[in-house]
Amino acid sequence: MAKIVECIPNFSEGQNQAVIDGLVATAKSIPGVTLLDYSSDASHNRSVFTLVGDDQSIQEAAFQLVKYASENIDMTKHHGEHPRMGATDVCPFVPIKDITTQECVEISKQVAERINRELGIPIFLYEDSATRPERQNLAKVRKGQFEGMPEKLLEEDWAPDYGDRKIHPTAGVTAVGARMPLVAFNVNLDTDNIDIAHKIAKIIRGSGGGYKYCKAIGVMLEDRHIAQVSMNMVNFEKCSLYRTFETIKFEARRYGVNVIGSEVIGLAPAKALIDVAEYYLQVEDFDYHKQILENHLLG
Amino acid sequence: MAKIVECIPNFSEGQNQAVIDGLVATAKSIPGVTLLDYSSDASHNRSVFTLVGDDQSIQEAAFQLVKYASENIDMTKHHGEHPRMGATDVCPFVPIKDITTQECVEISKQVAERINRELGIPIFLYEDSATRPERQNLAKVRKGQFEGMPEKLLEEDWAPDYGDRKIHPTAGVTAVGARMPLVAFNVNLDTDNIDIAHKIAKIIRGSGGGYKYCKAIGVMLEDRHIAQVSMNMVNFEKCSLYRTFETIKFEARRYGVNVIGSEVIGLAPAKALIDVAEYYLQVEDFDYHKQILENHLLG
């Protein structure tokens, strides 16, 4: 069976269509890799690509994209609303099929080493690839952004994992790492009181003492006049979607508020939803890998 | 994207290991086809094979298996508990990916025509391929079994869809058709009263006035001293698993009985369970084909 890995590089270009087209062409030129999706945001001046491929091809694709970005994006001229520190800002590898997170950590290190060796871009390993706890969180790694990186790299604790304490003059610094697939999952409430969504988000998220692998904020859906708990489920195997869903239901009840629906945004692995079905149907002894027909069809 | 079809031929041999091995070897010899599973039952004297492949290769595999069975199984000497009418008793084609049931009907007709033309076995089209309503149900088609087929084929309404009104002397008659994937789904009750499982099965199944695409019986799990409603969900798109599950729950309540768990037996398509997750999470506007990551990896 082929080991299948997803890679979601973020590039600091969301305006220049020629450069975006070049990234697309580069992604499509690598055999064994499929470009599932890409989206660009002009105000963020940033593009997010989603690729899948076998464990070897995905490394080549990631490298070639980082190379193209380093040759065509000049961070000294970059402006945008989204925090960023490099032409390729971040490049995560995600295990999809017949591969462990630990194997994706190894992939991330090999790609990181090659990027530094061939392109001279310093690399921080982050998330599950992080070499120390404070580097797990991308926000902490990126703090200071492109403009602050020359100084940050000289700080005692911030030597890059690969490369010298010196940014690439135009491509900056890149974070590379492995992480679990992320599921964007939002739960809608029958209230227009955003405070209730804020309160529920605060208690449900890991940083507020809730579920460790859930990130959550309260948002207002202006067009529908309803409040929403908007979540990133960063490890659906350790915290399934049903768990936050049921928790939001019983927490909302204290305010006399009901859950009226939910949204799964973008791509989700089949297992994230099949785990939910297993819970509600109280299925005994289900073997996802053996019993789901499609698992026998892939590669 | 490759069109993927499942084929589940049933052979009237569950005792002679040499013949079973020959069927396995035949299945494995066809490029583009994967033998997912096979199981033999000595008392039924019957073997069930599960294959998947692209829409062309699966036809070749089905034909070669029927050919091998016709050359190695002699129905005049067959004894077993399971009803049967041919060396290959039944050969259904099931749409799995990027293919419609209607396209599988066409596949079934092409294979049926070839089996008759090259091997001289008369064929009844059944299920979604049936040419008249009374031929949809396999039990009705097979009634009379191998021994009764010579006379049955002479009846006004029972001319085969392919071939003359005369059985193949040793291979009998075969039913070929297209159908939706079937999910074997059982719901366990916290009672040792089998009558309650019988009563619920009767009202939930199509033949009792319940859900058209649900077949159900009550069975006793002797080792656990509990009764079970055992179901075949024959079209999970028209009747999802959650619907029978919730119905069994509220019907059991009248007897003071609770649902304590369920079982999914064997293979199930991912969508059968993801539909369940969508229901319980109240997901709005979910697009299974676009949003499930694995759907972009196949073929």
Side-chain angles (χ1 to χ4, degrees):
Chain A
M1 304 292 263
K3 298 180 177 202
I4 297 176
V5 180
E6 186 184 14
C7 181
I8 310 105
N10 289 217
F11 304 103
S12 295
E13 179 60 73
Q15 296 168 351
N16 185 332
Q17 194 60 45
V19 173
I20 296 165
D21 290 347
L23 289 165
V24 170
T26 302
K28 289 185 172 171
S29 73
I30 313 294
V33 166
T34 305
L35 177 61
L36 290 189
D37 186 41
Y38 65 96
S39 63
S40 301
D41 186 304
S43 64
H44 285 184
N45 199 6
R46 189 178 181 89
S47 295
V48 178
F49 279 53
T50 305
L51 305 99
V52 288
D54 64 80
D55 56 328
Q56 298 299 319
S57 308
I58 202 76
Q59 297 186 39
E60 179 66 14
F63 175 79
Q64 294 299 339
L65 284 165
V66 171
K67 182 167 188 280
Y68 183 91
S70 73
E71 292 164 351
N72 291 278
I73 298 171
D74 183 351
M75 292 305 292
T76 65
K77 296 175 180 152
H78 183 274
H79 299 281
E81 288 172 18
H82 197 289
R84 77 289 177 273
M85 62 180 183
T88 303
D89 196 48
V90 55
C91 184
F93 293 91
V94 175
I96 298 298
K97 185 159 194 305
D98 294 325
I99 191 163
T100 63
T101 304
Q102 193 49 47
E103 290 174 277
C104 285
V105 168
E106 290 310 312
I107 287 172
S108 74
K109 288 181 179 176
Q110 287 177 32
V111 173
E113 191 277 333
R114 184 178 175 196
I115 292 172
N116 180 255
R117 176 164 42 82
E118 296 194 26
L119 308 177
I121 300 169
I123 305 289
F124 284 118
L125 295 171
Y126 83 119
E127 286 274 1
D128 293 348
S129 304
T131 52
R132 49 184 85 177
E134 67 271 23
R135 294 188 181 185
Q136 283 175 11
N137 186 320
L138 178 64
K140 284 187 187 164
V141 171
R142 194 164 52 196
K143 197 174 175 192
Q145 297 195 49
F146 175 72
E147 291 75 9
M149 280 295 143
E151 279 185 39
K152 181 171 181 170
L153 296 192
L154 298 173
E155 290 176 24
E156 186 176 346
D157 290 340
W158 289 100
D161 289 298
Y162 294 91
D164 300 330
R165 290 174 177 267
K166 203 169 63 133
I167 70 163
H168 182 288
T170 56
V173 179
T174 297
V176 177
R179 63 165 172 80
M180 279 288 289
L182 178 155
V183 181
F185 180 50
N186 304 329
V187 174
N188 297 333
L189 307 176
D190 68 348
T191 177
D192 60 0
N193 185 345
I194 179 81
D195 288 341
I196 293 172
H198 283 315
K199 282 177 187 165
I200 294 174
K202 195 172 169 183
I203 54 171
I204 206 164
R205 68 192 174 213
S207 65
Y211 296 114
K212 181 172 177 183
Y213 297 99
C214 169
K215 297 177 178 182
I217 56 172
V219 299
M220 194 69 197
L221 301 190
E222 298 293 350
D223 51 335
R224 293 173 66 181
H225 308 293
I226 60 170
Q228 180 184 75
V229 181
S230 177
M231 292 176 284
N232 275 335
M233 306 295 292
V234 299
N235 188 330
F236 68 82
E237 300 212 328
K238 291 189 175 156
C239 184
S240 174
L241 276 59
Y242 76 78
R243 193 166 298 145
T244 55
F245 184 75
E246 290 295 326
T247 305
I248 291 168
K249 265 201 216 172
F250 72 67
E251 291 291 342
R253 228 180 278 149
R254 93 157 38 181
Y255 308 105
V257 166
N258 295 304
V259 164
I260 55 172
S262 73
E263 304 169 348
V264 174
I265 306 294
L267 293 167
K271 192 169 189 299
L273 288 162
I274 290 172
D275 285 350
V276 170
E278 277 182 66
Y279 168 77
Y280 285 106
L281 295 180
Q282 303 169 234
V283 183
E284 302 171 2
D285 300 325
F286 190 75
D287 185 329
Y288 170 78
H289 294 286
K290 281 191 189 160
Q291 292 191 255
I292 291 297
L293 183 66
E294 286 84 347
N295 289 337
H296 299 275
L297 307 180
L298 287 169
Chain B
M1 303 294 264
K3 298 179 178 206
I4 296 177
V5 180
E6 188 183 13
C7 181
I8 311 106
N10 288 216
F11 304 104
S12 295
E13 179 59 74
Q15 295 168 352
N16 185 333
Q17 193 59 46
V19 174
I20 296 165
D21 289 347
L23 288 165
V24 170
T26 303
K28 289 185 173 172
S29 73
I30 312 295
V33 166
T34 304
L35 177 61
L36 291 188
D37 186 41
Y38 66 96
S39 64
S40 300
D41 186 305
S43 65
H44 285 185
N45 200 5
R46 187 178 181 89
S47 296
V48 179
F49 280 53
T50 305
L51 306 98
V52 288
D54 63 81
D55 56 330
Q56 297 300 319
S57 307
I58 202 76
Q59 298 186 40
E60 178 66 14
F63 175 79
Q64 293 300 339
L65 285 165
V66 171
K67 183 168 188 279
Y68 182 92
S70 74
E71 292 164 353
N72 291 278
I73 298 171
D74 182 352
M75 292 305 292
T76 65
K77 296 176 181 153
H78 183 273
H79 299 280
E81 289 172 17
H82 197 289
R84 77 287 178 272
M85 63 180 181
T88 302
D89 197 50
V90 54
C91 184
F93 294 90
V94 175
I96 299 297
K97 184 158 195 306
D98 295 325
I99 190 162
T100 63
T101 303
Q102 194 48 47
E103 289 174 274
C104 285
V105 168
E106 290 310 312
I107 286 173
S108 74
K109 289 181 178 174
Q110 286 177 34
V111 173
E113 192 276 332
R114 184 177 174 196
I115 292 171
N116 180 254
R117 176 166 40 83
E118 297 195 24
L119 308 177
I121 301 169
I123 305 287
F124 284 118
L125 295 172
Y126 83 119
E127 287 273 2
D128 293 349
S129 304
T131 52
R132 49 183 86 177
E134 67 271 24
R135 294 189 181 184
Q136 282 173 11
N137 186 322
L138 178 64
K140 285 188 187 163
V141 172
R142 194 163 53 196
K143 197 175 176 191
Q145 298 196 48
F146 174 73
E147 291 75 9
M149 280 297 141
E151 280 186 39
K152 181 170 181 170
L153 296 193
L154 297 173
E155 291 176 25
E156 185 176 347
D157 291 340
W158 289 100
D161 290 297
Y162 295 91
D164 299 330
R165 290 175 178 266
K166 200 170 63 128
I167 69 163
H168 182 288
T170 56
V173 179
T174 297
V176 177
R179 62 164 171 81
M180 278 288 290
L182 176 155
V183 181
F185 179 50
N186 303 329
V187 175
N188 298 331
L189 307 176
D190 67 349
T191 178
D192 59 1
N193 186 343
I194 180 80
D195 288 342
I196 294 173
H198 283 314
K199 283 179 186 164
I200 294 174
K202 196 172 170 184
I203 53 171
I204 207 163
R205 67 191 176 213
S207 65
Y211 297 114
K212 182 172 177 185
Y213 297 100
C214 169
K215 298 178 178 180
I217 56 171
V219 299
M220 194 68 197
L221 302 190
E222 298 293 350
D223 53 334
R224 294 173 64 182
H225 308 294
I226 59 172
Q228 180 184 77
V229 181
S230 177
M231 293 176 283
N232 275 337
M233 305 296 293
V234 300
N235 189 329
F236 69 82
E237 300 213 328
K238 291 189 176 158
C239 184
S240 176
L241 277 59
Y242 76 80
R243 193 167 297 145
T244 56
F245 184 75
E246 290 295 326
T247 305
I248 291 169
K249 266 202 219 175
F250 73 67
E251 291 292 343
R253 228 180 279 150
R254 96 160 32 183
Y255 308 105
V257 165
N258 295 304
V259 164
I260 55 171
S262 74
E263 302 170 348
V264 174
I265 305 294
L267 293 167
K271 191 168 187 302
L273 288 162
I274 289 172
D275 284 351
V276 170
E278 277 183 63
Y279 168 77
Y280 285 107
L281 294 180
Q282 301 170 235
V283 183
E284 302 172 1
D285 299 324
F286 190 75
D287 185 328
Y288 171 77
H289 294 286
K290 281 190 188 162
Q291 291 191 256
I292 292 297
L293 183 66
E294 285 84 347
N295 288 337
H296 300 274
L297 307 180
L298 288 168

